[in-house]
Amino acid sequence: MVIVLLLAALLRLPALAELPPGLHYDEAANAILAGDIGLRGARPTFISSYTGKEVLFFYLAGGLMRLVGESVLSLRLTAAFVGLLTVAVTYRVAVALVRDRRVALLAALFLAASFWHVLFSRLGFRAITQPLLQGLAVWWLFAAARSRPGDRPGRSAGRAWATAALAGLFLGLTGHTYLAARMFPVLLLLATWPLWPRLGRRLGVILGVALLVLSPLLLFFAGQPDAFWVRIRQVAPEPGGLSLGESALRSLGMFFVEGDPYWRFNLPGRPLFGLPLGVLFVLGLMVCVGRLARPAVASERAARLVLALAPLIMLLPTALAVNEIVPSNLRAIGLLPFVVVLPAVGFVWFWDTTARRLGAGWVTGRWATATMVIVLVPALGWQTYRVYAETWGGRADVFYESDADLAAVAAYLDRLPAGEPVFVAALHYRHPTVAFLSQQYEQVRWLPGAAALPLPSEGPATYVFPRSAPLPAWAAPYLATAVVEGGPPGPDGAPVFHAYRLTGAPPVDLPAAKADYGGVIELTGAKSGANAPGEVVPLLLAWTIRAVPDRHVEPFVHFEDAWGHRWSQGGDNAYPSEQWVAGDRLLMHADVSVPAGAPPGDYALRVGWFHRESGERLPVLDEGGRFAGTAAVVTGARVVAGPPPATLPAPPVAAEGMAAGLRLIGHEALPESIEAGHRLELAFWWVASAPLPPWRERLVLRGPEDAPPLRPAETINLADTRPVHGTLPFDAWAPPAFVVDRQAIRLPADLVAGTYHLELVIGDDGAPALTYQLPALHVRESTRVFDAPPLAEPITATFGGEIRLLGANRDGDRLTLAWQALAAPADDYTVFVHLLDASGACCLWQADAWPQGGGSPTGGWLPGQVVVDDYQIQPPPGTPPGAYSLEVGLYVAENGLRLPVTMSAAAPPDAVLLDPWHVP
């Protein structure tokens, strides 16, 4: 056993700080958390950050850091020590379960030489503690069951109760190891019931101590239940993902068919057991299952149940995680130490059976077993060393998966002069690898995803791009004059990073654009491009930072057609606003996706900034400092014709309609109900396989059957047009083509309530080529009002000659506005209600929507109709009490242009001021 432990140490301890290379994001985060506990006074019960972490490993690592210092070595040394203890405990567990020291010795050897366990024993991951605590809990649980007061002369009652208390202690501590340990009580419940009568009252001690040790965690989850479920929800089954059956089969195959495909935790596809151990594993499992039918004392029956059920129960954490990598060596780590006992059982059974049949009983003695183990140690040890250190550890994949390029960047940062701006690109914001390893971390400004390039207003600046986030092609011209320095070579011979030092800001030559976002940031240039559906349209924006916002803001980009439909959206937080410096320029690049089916033509990119917590957008201000919308429009984006995707996306509602060379495959769902006068949004999904005639597209409304005809005829022709709002005739399509044809049809304002039938007809003036019946359209009873409510504050202001503001009512922080249509409005205008600051600038608070919270678009109003609109004015916390101005008006959402105001009293030309608005 000493030789086995020496082998375990030789595989786990040498070059711990260098292998695995670098320091992965998760390891670095663990190192920071351990340092917080060991050196900075943190005392968490459960760590909610990073999707939640149990704390036992971090207290162990923090304690070691307190003794030997905060380093990668101390973090990984904790895991190595835990791994060594697990090898030793595996011996005791096997003795407790099988009562055969030969099996125990072989099980310890198999674990000592396990590539799986060696890998995790050299990583600073909390999961390594789960096998150790599970082993300790089972060892002492069986020890408690096999020893009662008076069983042996001189054995005291206190020792028996202490053994039970230790079993409870380790059982409770198991809950503080890793998420997958939540299945361990299920295994004990199903496997150890034969022990309960023998344990008697000591079972209460075990459970009581376990609950006592686990109670801080249980109380934490009781107060914060989301922390318990957050990671479970992330990996739980979802529609369209891997089924539970498929995941279970893959998980079962990890034993000796195909294992974890992830480089970080395995040689991709390498099973847990090779062919020899795989055969022995199956043999040992069959032996344990077969012995369940034999008469046995309680402890023996429970031991066989533990070994037989562990491969199934403790496999569930990876089998159930269908939205993650399946199978997963990490989530299956709860199989240890039990699964290494099974091949040892199979080996000894085969050895003994063969020896009996050959009449060579002497080879079953312990000295023969010891000799055999000593022979196996160098063979298994050398094999594991080669697989881990040479095959796995020497891979470039492992090098870069382990964030070794960021570790090299951290060392480089410590050589830079202090105080100068330094920008580091990385896949993650504030990467913990750099945070843990570099003394210059606080001066770094981050470029997540390498999608932004800040240009300081003065002085030199250094930009570092690691291999995992290389300098993008769009940014290369702006660093063409920089002095370039390469990092050390990686396993593939290429530098692991490149550093660019600029002594002055380069010129930015982009088509001019101008938009002032609340005095915080200003758009100064923009350039877009063209691409086919299924690809991306590039967008490059130039900004000037005017001030650092008091709250975090993020950009958004909406890809819209000429009729305002949003086809896609994006907006990477490529340069978080807490890093902004007033006066700096900022280049931002975005690849805006063009969905399959987007028709060829010109598109607009609507660009703005918003607060993620509240959804509130920064206002766009005109030259006079007044509100001019919440986004600027960048033109120049264009979609060009391209081939349809190999696999067509599934439409929301499948359909089937055929004409010569044209097929209708589906459409978007109709609304459950709609009011007369409102706009009906339709979208038809077409596939063209041949050139098409110049057909027209008609929409016919029929019914309702239970009401008198609305017109002399029983049908209403809603539209007679061509695809894509009349701009893309069928004969202009280049087959093969896939086009999502969107139409927006205004229903007649005098349409009575009822159920209608909507029909799509494709053809020319002769016979239709295709007729398709859409689902029933339910037109609901009109709720239009034509009488104004009582108004305490009459106003009578006319907007654009179309809509009149009749007046307002105030009640505390509530504001009610009454609008009336003078004529049928030409568009769906947006109402703005803005609480101006003390200087009269926008905005302390704002609301921008269609009236009635977006439920009553103005384009559907009838002449004379009155619409009542309610608002709750909510100034931001900390607003000084006093009298402020409230401005109200209407604008066109597409361009932010306000409707002009006509009223008797002096007022701004495009808004109505409600003075004073008192903030308590």
Side-chain angles (χ1 to χ4, degrees), residues 669-682 701 718 743-749 751-756 758 775-784 855 857 860:
L670 297 181
E672 291 185 3
S673 66
I674 189 171
E675 190 172 332
H678 284 208
R679 190 164 53 188
L680 177 63
E681 302 283 349
L682 300 169
L701 195 65
L718 291 181
Q743 301 286 354
I745 311 298
R746 183 79 65 180
L747 295 180
L751 199 63
V752 299
T755 299
Y756 292 79
L758 189 62
L777 180 66
H778 302 284
V779 178
R780 61 179 178 266
E781 193 74 36
S782 174
T783 57
R784 301 178 191 274

Side-chain angles (χ1 to χ4, degrees), residues 79-104:
F81 283 161
V82 171
L84 286 172
L85 283 172
T86 306
V87 173
V89 167
T90 297
Y91 178 85
R92 301 300 307 179
V93 171
V95 169
L97 294 176
V98 184
R99 312 295 285 175
D100 188 327
R101 294 183 182 273
R102 299 173 302 161
V103 170

